[in-house]
Amino acid sequence: MQGKALPGFRDFYPEDLTLRNHLFATWRSVAGRYGFEEYDGPPLESLEMYTKKSGEEIVQQLYTFRDKGDREVALRPEMTPTLARMVAARVQALKKPIRWFSIPQLFRYERQQRGRLREHFQLNMDIIGEASPLADAELMAAAVDIMRALGLGPKDVQLRVSDRRVLKSLLMSRGVTEAQLATAFAVIDRSERVPKNVLEEMLRETGYGKPEAAAVFDVAGLRGKDALTAAGAAAEPLGEAVQALEAMGLGEFVAIDLTIVRGLAYYTGIVFELFDAQKTLRAIAGGGRYDGLLDLPALGFGMGDVVLGELLKERGVAPKASIELGAFLVAVGGEDMPTMLRLAHAMREKGIAVEYGLRHAGVRKQLELASARGAPRAVIIGPEERKAGLAVVRDLRAGTEAKVPIDKLLNGYFD
Ligand code: HAM
């Protein structure tokens, strides 16, 4: 066999899977602490679901084909439409607010760049059936607490928050019409990434005059509490959510930033993205309120494993080894093997991780293997100790040795 995985697809060697499992475990643990239940859906869905719900950008990136039953299908590029379908199917029976999370693998045919692949795993946390801004704060707090649980602080990551209703109110009070809003959102979304003259051209093409175009750039520049004051009543929910985060002690992580619009079509209210504080990487997470997708108020976020994994490695807080052996067992002579095997199995039954050489070799060879496997100690069974019910425990780091009763090895020695 030769060759490579497809571009944008990953092989997970054990060290890569260690990192992925660490992220999944942290996601599950924090979601659990916030009272979220886990769900899942199918990786293949009807194409129509995304053309109707996700919006242009994602639709262009779909992996799509016609199946043998002549259905137009697509690999899921995001979880939100599946979630909406699942909730809609049981909407009467489900207790509200629904607090659900999922960790789907998603597929998007993206232009490859740092932090963007063609498959990724994405934690989704969503609340359905609650209109209060405390629900928005709840999700933002969970996203921040995941960062904290992974060892990242406010100097590493920042949550940038906005509200499409605030943007709408600021833009319309400056002469932008309802019909022109979509372009304004698209321009503001790109305002930090795309040169101004390109954006001005975008506005001109959709019929913007000079003053309205200037208003779009003005609004994109508003930061912090100024943005809230300028928007008046439209900013109340955002103000309340930010206050709640401050009350939780998470204020240092939060920045009000009206350039956060989000690319997906369905957002209607507060929107947010989590970035590395230096902003050298793509977004770690993004989400917001999408009250129009279901007949219920709804909100959620997605957090990918790619950028987050890179950031953890960069900050030196990624886990290294996936298994930690308690001991490596060594049989001195061939006749010590059965005792060694019995002990190895008994230790495994007690939940202690042990290994031994899978073919008999000299003691030195076995000890070399023990060190190569990263075992902290070797448990050596020789003829004399065996008769006395003992084993020699050698600390492979300190080089010290002690004789320990086998009974004790099985009962508490490794705790
Ligand atoms: P999204 O902003 O498209 O939102 O994706 C959320 C996060 O998934 C991004 O911030 C990024 O970390 C990760 N991500 C997205 N695309 C890629 C990619 N090609 N490669 C690596 N990572 C990627 C959504 O998908 C919404 N459905 C989230 C949501 C849930 N909104 C409400 N509920």
Side-chain angles (χ1 to χ4, degrees), residues 58 77-81 83 106 108 110 115-126 262 264 266-267 273-274 282-288 290 299-308:
I58 278 198
E78 62 155 337
M79 197 60 174
T80 311
L83 171 68
L106 305 178
R108 299 182 189 180
E110 294 229 25
R116 284 290 178 270
L117 300 174
R118 291 182 176 162
E119 54 76 24
H120 71 283
F121 290 89
Q122 193 190 81
L123 167 70
N124 276 244
M125 287 179 77
D126 292 83
R262 309 273 303 130
L264 290 156
Y266 44 66
Y267 293 108
E273 287 190 331
L274 199 57
R282 299 288 305 263
I284 300 165
Y290 49 96
L299 61 156
F301 71 83
M303 179 183 292
D305 64 331
V306 181
V307 176
L308 191 51

Side-chain angles (χ1 to χ4, degrees), residues 389-401:
L390 298 172
V392 173
V393 176
R394 176 193 288 224
D395 185 318
L396 293 172
R397 286 165 197 156
T400 52
E401 278 189 2

Side-chain angles (χ1 to χ4, degrees), residues 240-303:
E240 207 180 303
V242 170
Q243 258 177 18
L245 288 165
E246 282 165 359
M248 291 178 212
L250 301 175
E252 273 185 292
F253 283 92
V254 182
I256 295 169
D257 179 344
L258 296 188
T259 59
I260 300 301
V261 180
R262 309 273 303 130
L264 290 156
Y266 44 66
Y267 293 108
T268 53
I270 292 179
V271 282
F272 57 92
E273 287 190 331
L274 199 57
F275 281 93
D276 65 298
Q278 281 72 42
K279 269 212 82 190
T280 54
L281 305 170
R282 299 288 305 263
I284 300 165
R289 195 171 264 288
Y290 49 96
D291 287 349
L293 212 51
L294 285 151
D295 289 332
L296 288 168
L299 61 156
F301 71 83
M303 179 183 292

